[in-house]
Amino acid sequence: MSSRIRLTGTVLLLALVAVLALAACGGSSSSVEVPDGAIAVVGEKSVPKADFDQLMEQQKKSAQSKNQDFPAVGTPQYEAVKASVVKGLVEQREWELEGEAMGITVTEAEIDEQLKQLKQQFFQGDEEKYQAELDKQGLTDQQVRDELRTRVLSNKIFTAVTKNVNVTDADIDAYYKANSSQYQQPASRDVRHILVKSQSQAQSIYDQIRSGGDFAKLARRYTQDQASKADGGKFTAFKGRTVAPFDEFVFSAKTGDLSKPIKTEFGWHVIEVLSAVKPASTTPLSKVKEQIKTTLLQQKQNAAMKTWIANLQKKYADQISYAPGYAPPAGTDTGAATPSTSG
């Protein structure tokens, strides 16, 4: 809420949101009649207009809190916000229906715990600060609880869908071999340098160092290289990763050598070699095995969720009806991507 957190939408799914980025496929609407007081029906669940109105008001207040103009009714910008809110509400009902079909439930105790954690994380447990932020964002406590319910449901669905996903040693070994270049470290050497714009200034600095001047102090005063300035020009150079004239001197000089001004595309350098060359090396599989396992597990979980979502889209493609004025514009995706209630 405010610059720290928005309870509607962004808090819902944590890392799960990134998993569910599959574009919706769209589909035909059902012929089920939308009851009075609702904007849509998904399966047997209606979407109350009150929910839509609350979220539109929240969007308006959120814009105002950022000193932004909320679009006027009837403008293309307003219709875009409206369509996003409707889409989120419809998707939320789809996820609720599928959760019920999977036998997944969310208890009030679980919501209470989520709310307690949220208040502690963002408001240090201060109820007055929490209520003040709700007022600022145009939210009610019940809306927050509804959003947290969706968050818990989404996480439970993710867990259920991905429970049998696993990564084998063969998977890890294949990934390591296919991405071997990521684990190769070129030869390296500790150096320090001063980068300036003119040859004459570089020569003056070189002469000062040769006469006993403090390299680090001169670097902090004159160097144009902001990355190494604070460290007195010191950094680790990797073979092949610096410009050719710089690289050639660094990896052919002796430890302690000081270069005369060297010109590169960045300007003029004065370089001092501080260490012996550290040979190229390869990080062994044993040191990156867990990292690779985590990467592959996330990839497989993402794939499992995308498949699940694709099936969800097909299942509900013809089970959605809209009240007049709330159907998505022609060509707009209407399937289930994430159970969010805001754009």
Side-chain angles (χ1 to χ4, degrees), residues 104-107 110 151-161:
I104 295 174
T105 59
V106 177
T107 67
E110 289 172 321
R151 169 179 169 177
V152 174
L153 173 64
S154 302
N155 288 336
K156 285 188 173 186
I157 288 175
F158 178 84
T159 299
V161 171

Side-chain angles (χ1 to χ4, degrees), residues 10 30 58 61 94 103 117 123 135 138 157 167 187 194 197 202 209 214 232 236 244 246 267 275 290 314 322:
T10 56
S30 74
Q58 188 275 327
K61 287 194 174 184
E94 291 173 344
Q117 291 177 15
F123 307 102
D135 292 340
I157 288 175
V167 176
I194 298 172
K197 294 182 179 180
I209 295 171
D214 188 305
T236 299
F246 193 105
S275 72
E290 288 305 312
K314 293 176 183 178
Y322 296 92

Side-chain angles (χ1 to χ4, degrees), residues 11 47 49 55 70 78 86 89 103 120 128 130 140 163 172 182-183 186 195 202 230 234 242 261 292-293 305 315 343:
V11 147
V47 179
K49 186 175 183 298
L55 286 173
F70 190 72
Y78 177 87
V86 172
L89 287 167
Q120 186 60 45
E128 289 186 3
Y130 167 68
T140 65
K163 65 180 180 181
I172 296 172
Q182 295 182 19
Y183 308 107
L195 171 65
K234 184 179 179 181
T242 56
I292 293 173
K293 183 176 182 179
M305 285 304 303
K315 180 174 181 177

Side-chain angles (χ1 to χ4, degrees), residues 212-231:
D214 188 305
F215 194 113
K217 288 183 179 179
L218 289 167
R220 282 190 281 269
R221 181 175 180 183
Y222 294 112
T223 189
Q224 301 294 306
D225 178 16
Q226 298 303 313
S228 65
K229 187 181 185 76
D231 291 326

Side-chain angles (χ1 to χ4, degrees), residues 167-182:
V167 176
T168 66
D169 286 345
D171 294 332
I172 296 172
D173 187 60
Y175 182 93
Y176 180 77
K177 290 178 180 177
N179 297 275
S180 59
S181 61
Q182 295 182 19

Side-chain angles (χ1 to χ4, degrees), residues 18-328:
V19 173
L20 309 179
L22 185 68
C25 299
S28 58
S29 297
S30 74
S31 58
V32 176
E33 184 176 348
V34 179
D36 292 339
I39 64 167
V41 172
V42 184
E44 298 179 353
K45 285 184 177 288
S46 63
V47 179
K49 186 175 183 298
D51 289 359
F52 169 82
D53 291 338
Q54 282 185 327
L55 286 173
M56 289 297 287
E57 181 63 21
Q58 188 275 327
Q59 292 282 343
K60 183 176 181 179
K61 287 194 174 184
S62 178
Q64 292 171 344
S65 71
K66 301 173 186 175
N67 295 317
Q68 298 174 349
D69 292 331
F70 190 72
V73 175
T75 63
Q77 293 81 6
Y78 177 87
E79 290 302 317
V81 175
K82 175 182 174 181
S84 177
V85 170
V86 172
K87 181 175 184 289
L89 287 167
V90 167
E91 290 167 355
Q92 185 176 348
R93 295 304 183 273
E94 291 173 344
W95 280 63
E96 289 171 358
L97 284 165
E98 200 62 16
E100 291 173 5
M102 297 167 70
I104 295 174
T105 59
V106 177
T107 67
E108 290 302 313
E110 289 172 321
I111 298 172
D112 290 341
E113 179 59 28
Q114 288 290 315
L115 185 55
K116 179 181 177 182
Q117 291 177 15
L118 184 146
K119 290 178 179 178
Q120 186 60 45
Q121 180 179 358
F122 295 102
F123 307 102
Q124 297 75 51
D126 190 317
E127 185 68 23
E128 289 186 3
K129 289 182 179 179
Y130 167 68
Q131 291 295 335
E133 193 63 34
L134 291 187
D135 292 340
K136 182 178 179 180
Q137 294 293 327
L139 290 166
T140 65
D141 184 70
Q142 186 58 51
Q143 277 182 287
V144 174
R145 294 181 67 86
D146 290 344
E147 294 287 7
L148 292 176
R149 182 185 299 277
T150 302
R151 169 179 169 177
V152 174
L153 173 64
S154 302
N155 288 336
K156 285 188 173 186
I157 288 175
F158 178 84
T159 299
V161 171
T162 63
K163 65 180 180 181
N164 294 322
V165 172
N166 64 83
V167 176
T168 66
D169 286 345
D171 294 332
I172 296 172
D173 187 60
Y175 182 93
Y176 180 77
K177 290 178 180 177
N179 297 275
S180 59
S181 61
Q182 295 182 19
Y183 308 107
Q184 295 172 0
Q185 194 77 288
S188 63
R189 201 168 200 182
D190 290 338
V191 301
R192 55 186 177 187
H193 81 130
I194 298 172
L195 171 65
V196 292
K197 294 182 179 180
S198 69
Q199 183 179 12
S200 60
Q201 187 179 18
Q203 184 64 47
S204 173
I205 290 170
Y206 171 80
D207 291 338
Q208 291 179 62
I209 295 171
R210 291 280 292 177
S211 299
D214 188 305
F215 194 113
K217 288 183 179 179
L218 289 167
R220 282 190 281 269
R221 181 175 180 183
Y222 294 112
T223 189
Q224 301 294 306
D225 178 16
Q226 298 303 313
S228 65
K229 187 181 185 76
D231 291 326
K234 184 179 179 181
F235 74 103
T236 299
F238 291 92
K239 189 173 181 60
R241 295 183 184 176
T242 56
V243 287
F246 193 105
D247 196 81
E248 183 178 340
F249 172 78
V250 167
F251 290 96
S252 63
K254 296 178 181 178
T255 302
D257 280 358
L258 178 71
S259 76
K260 292 182 178 180
I262 294 175
K263 189 178 189 305
T264 74
E265 61 192 83
F266 299 105
W268 290 85
H269 306 256
V270 176
I271 310 165
E272 183 178 11
V273 176
L274 301 177
S275 72
V277 175
K278 184 177 180 180
S281 62
T282 300
T283 304
L285 175 60
S286 60
K287 288 192 174 182
V288 293
K289 184 174 182 178
E290 288 305 312
Q291 175 187 332
I292 293 173
K293 183 176 182 179
T294 297
T295 297
L296 291 177
L297 182 62
Q298 290 174 347
Q299 291 177 355
K300 288 191 172 188
Q301 288 174 333
N302 291 353
M305 285 304 303
K306 287 181 179 181
T307 298
W308 183 84
I309 290 168
N311 292 333
L312 189 67
Q313 292 169 357
K314 293 176 183 178
K315 180 174 181 177
Y316 291 100
D318 60 354
Q319 297 185 45
I320 305 171
S321 294
Y322 296 92
Y326 292 94

